[in-house]
Amino acid sequence: MHFQDMRATRTLAPERGAVAIISNSRGELLLHLLDDIPVIAWPGYWSLLGGGCDANEHEVDTIHRELNGEAGLGDQVDSLRRVCELRDELGSGQLITFFCAYWDGDETQLPLAEGVKLQFFAPEFLDGLKIPFFIRHGINRYLDTVKLLRTRRRPR
């Protein structure tokens, strides 16, 4: 699908959305392979679990609802924290709030309600995946923060 076609769906999308960067004990990130249908932004891409905010819904409530509705993870993730906000300029047009959380389960056992597949990936394998630009940018910001925190914790 061409970027101009995806931008045409903007008027139907909510103005805001939320996604979750979920990591496990191995440092892998949980990605969601989206359906390859033309009515969604980024069809056939690997993305993060999440979605658009309902009217008057706060982004924290959105991400809990989406995690629960898409993969049954709403109450299972630990320490949900806000990472950043980025706009999906080439897709839905939404301002997306990125959250991070921890979950160390088996993704193959999750009840996937949307999309094709959920899979954990080590960060070094992300470059080979088809990921929306703004999602890749949000993941990179998260990974940079994690590296910085690890560097600060090292004894001198």
Side-chain angles (χ1 to χ4, degrees):
M1 171 168 277
H2 300 287
F3 293 128
Q4 66 191 46
D5 295 334
M6 286 189 283
R7 286 193 301 258
T9 64
R10 247 184 224 184
T11 56
L12 303 175
E15 293 180 21
R16 297 190 58 87
V19 295
I21 302 168
I22 299 173
S23 63
N24 63 17
S25 61
R26 295 176 302 280
E28 299 168 325
L29 305 180
L30 185 63
L31 295 183
H32 183 209
L33 181 57
L34 301 175
D35 290 306
D36 194 4
I37 54 176
V39 295
I40 64 170
W42 306 107
Y45 278 70
W46 285 96
S47 192
L48 299 169
L49 289 168
C53 297
D54 290 339
N56 300 317
E57 183 179 44
H58 192 275
E59 294 81 20
V60 172
D61 297 325
T62 298
I63 198 58
H64 280 289
R65 176 178 52 77
E66 290 290 335
L67 288 174
N68 196 44
E70 291 181 353
L73 277 173
D75 299 324
Q76 296 185 47
V77 296
D78 292 329
S79 61
L80 189 67
R81 294 181 320 247
R82 187 181 177 283
V83 175
C84 64
E85 287 186 340
L86 297 170
R87 187 165 302 278
D88 178 10
E89 294 290 346
L90 299 176
S92 69
Q94 294 173 319
L95 182 61
I96 305 293
T97 302
F98 284 70
F99 292 92
C100 65
Y102 177 83
W103 181 71
D104 209 22
D106 179 357
E107 75 275 22
T108 65
Q109 300 303 307
L110 292 172
L112 184 62
E114 292 181 22
V116 178
K117 182 180 186 178
L118 291 169
Q119 185 173 338
F120 276 110
F121 289 93
E124 59 266 23
F125 294 110
L126 298 181
D127 285 343
L129 299 176
K130 195 165 86 168
I131 298 173
F133 306 112
F134 80 102
I135 294 290
R136 189 176 298 279
H137 184 64
I139 289 172
N140 288 337
R141 285 180 70 171
Y142 165 77
L143 291 172
D144 288 345
T145 301
V146 169
K147 286 178 198 172
L148 181 64
L149 291 174
R150 285 184 184 146
T151 303
R152 287 182 180 171
R153 290 182 186 155
R154 287 188 187 144
R156 296 177 187 208

